[in-house]
Amino acid sequence: MTAAPLPGGPVLRAPAEITYADELAALAAADQGPRPAGWRLTPRAVRAFVVGDPALGVSRKFYGDDPLVDRCVVTLMSNRGLLLVGEPGTAKSMLSELFAAAISGDSTCTIQGSSGTTDDQITYSWNYALLLAEGPTPRALVRGPLHQALARGAVCRFEEVTRVQPEIQDVLIGVMSDKLLHVPELDDPDSVVFAAPGFNVLATANLRDRGVHEMSSALKRRFNFETVRPIRDRDLERRLISEQTDGMLAHADVDTRLGPDVVDLLVTAFHDLREGVTEDGIQVERPTAVMSSAEAVSVGYAAALDAHYFGDGAVGGQHIARQLIGTVLKDNSDDGAKLRHYFDVVVKPRARRDKVWKAVLQTRPELER
């Protein structure tokens, strides 16, 4: 699969519609069924883009609950917005990007929510030089992501919506109800932007952030909520980590790869710490740090880079352990004691019978620094 080039040359990370341009084209050509107004692909093709279609050479991108994907596609066809909630690192943002790329052909119409997000960053603002010279004219208008999505009939992504102040969140209420945006400074007919077919809002929120800024009841009623849960199937997580790290390393032009034994170590350690119990029933204290699949991929990728640039290119348990220590300790200093306990009661016995875990144990002194 070759991605379409971006203007200006190589980039660190291309949007999904560029990275998977060949797959999107194959799906558009193969499925000629009915399409909702404003959609680039049929609902079946959107689903196939996310969960994969081996017959068309379309890769699986989301490893999780396939019925969840079906429900999300149905919601995005309806008159309600879609809100993906879940623990950090459960691929909510990736899912929203994939849906926007497949439905609208553009995943970059995005609002990144934060405590400093203002309503003009969501809707529209002004080019003040033109505003002073010409007054409020369409040429002086700077269209925000929501304005653009309405006019084009596209999916507008709203990342981390609960990090935004409630009075700013509520800018969405009228737009999602009436499917229009008022620009009172302009004269008719430019003073109202009506939603073109295909418009919808796809938001994400972390469960850990619920209470940062609670959404109003009125805004909640405009969304269907779907919870994206961590991967429980270890085989599925092994496949995810292998494919994701291989892709990232290939993009970085690094020929080092994670072996099956190292991937198994990574998945096992993350499940132990995430669940608070090992497969053989040993209880361990769960750290406050996020132990998501996304974090596991980051640990695997960083371990491979460590082995490639500072070692002989073979990724071992010591490389995984160094990156795991940094991941666990980044949120709370108390997690150091929990990780030391994990090394003493879980890693040490495993090290006696497995050389990969023995390499992990060799990094134990780093926890005392």
Side-chain angles (χ1 to χ4, degrees):
M1 180 185 69
T2 25
L6 277 172
V11 296
L12 273 177
R13 182 185 181 278
E17 60 271 17
I18 300 296
T19 302
Y20 302 109
D22 291 349
E23 293 187 3
L24 290 168
L27 286 165
D31 191 350
Q32 297 300 320
R35 305 182 187 193
W39 282 37
R40 298 288 188 94
L41 298 177
T42 68
R44 287 180 183 273
V46 172
R47 181 188 189 278
F49 179 63
V50 177
V51 302
D53 185 338
L56 293 175
V58 176
S59 60
R60 174 180 279 272
K61 301 165 192 68
F62 175 67
Y63 292 81
D65 183 9
D66 288 358
L68 165 75
V69 176
D70 296 344
R71 295 194 301 272
C72 289
V73 174
V74 170
T75 293
L76 290 168
M77 286 189 282
S78 74
N79 62 351
R80 282 177 173 258
L82 173 63
L83 180 60
L84 299 174
V85 300
E87 293 290 330
T90 49
K92 301 180 298 297
S93 295
M94 184 196 73
L95 258 183
S96 75
E97 180 183 358
L98 294 173
F99 284 133
I103 292 168
S104 305
D106 180 12
S107 63
T108 63
C109 189
T110 305
I111 303 155
Q112 182 58 57
S114 72
S115 58
T117 301
T118 58
D119 56 357
D120 57 351
Q121 292 171 338
I122 298 170
T123 54
Y124 65 90
S125 58
W126 298 95
N127 179 321
Y128 288 103
L130 287 173
L131 185 66
L132 290 171
E134 301 177 356
T137 63
R139 201 163 80 95
L141 190 71
V142 179
R143 295 160 180 82
L146 192 61
H147 188 297
Q148 294 177 40
L150 280 160
R152 298 202 319 253
V155 172
C156 180
R157 298 169 59 205
F158 199 137
E159 295 291 318
E160 308 287 1
V161 66
T162 53
R163 289 192 173 276
V164 178
Q165 300 286 342
E167 61 271 19
I168 306 299
Q169 294 177 19
D170 285 349
V171 168
L172 295 173
I173 293 174
V175 174
M176 295 178 70
S177 295
D178 302 330
K179 301 298 188 283
L180 58 82
L181 174 67
H182 289 281
V183 187
E185 298 91 339
L186 296 179
D187 295 328
D188 292 336
D190 299 313
S191 62
V192 180
V193 184
F194 293 95
F199 167 75
N200 210 333
V201 176
L202 201 174
T204 65
N206 283 327
L207 287 175
R208 293 196 181 196
D209 294 337
R210 278 190 166 181
V212 172
H213 295 297
E214 185 67 25
M215 295 172 67
S216 67
S217 297
L219 183 55
K220 285 179 179 178
R221 288 197 299 272
R222 271 69 179 179
F223 284 101
N224 282 349
F225 285 56
E226 291 290 349
T227 301
V228 186
R229 304 188 186 280
I231 298 174
R232 301 293 182 189
D233 187 319
R234 297 193 183 208
D235 289 336
L236 203 57
E237 192 164 21
R238 288 185 187 95
R239 182 179 164 192
L240 166 67
I241 291 170
S242 295
E243 292 184 3
Q244 291 284 318
T245 53
D246 284 355
M248 294 164 72
L249 290 164
H251 185 73
D253 201 23
V254 172
D255 56 10
T256 298
R257 296 293 183 268
L258 303 183
D261 54 347
V262 172
V263 173
D264 185 67
L265 161 69
L266 183 54
V267 170
T268 300
F270 265 75
H271 270 263
D272 291 344
L273 294 169
R274 184 189 303 153
E275 306 296 335
V277 61
T278 67
E279 276 191 309
D280 45 2
I282 299 173
Q283 298 291 322
V284 296
E285 291 188 84
R286 289 188 292 183
T288 57
V290 175
M291 304 302 295
S292 65
S293 299
E295 288 287 349
V297 170
S298 295
V299 166
Y301 178 54
L305 294 177
D306 183 6
H308 180 77
Y309 287 107
F310 294 105
D312 60 4
V315 185
Q318 70 276 21
H319 300 105
I320 296 294
R322 290 192 195 109
Q323 304 305 322
L324 178 65
I325 289 169
T327 295
V328 173
L329 299 186
K330 68 183 177 183
D331 282 345
N332 190 327
S333 59
D334 293 340
D335 286 341
K338 298 175 183 178
L339 194 55
R340 287 192 291 272
H341 178 261
Y342 178 70
F343 268 72
D344 293 339
V345 302
V346 176
V347 176
K348 189 177 289 185
R350 289 175 180 170
R352 297 192 189 104
R353 56 182 184 271
D354 190 306
K355 64 180 182 180
V356 179
W357 284 93
K358 183 177 181 180
V360 174
L361 185 62
Q362 290 170 356
T363 66
R364 173 67 170 77
E366 297 184 25
L367 286 168
E368 304 297 340
R369 295 174 186 172

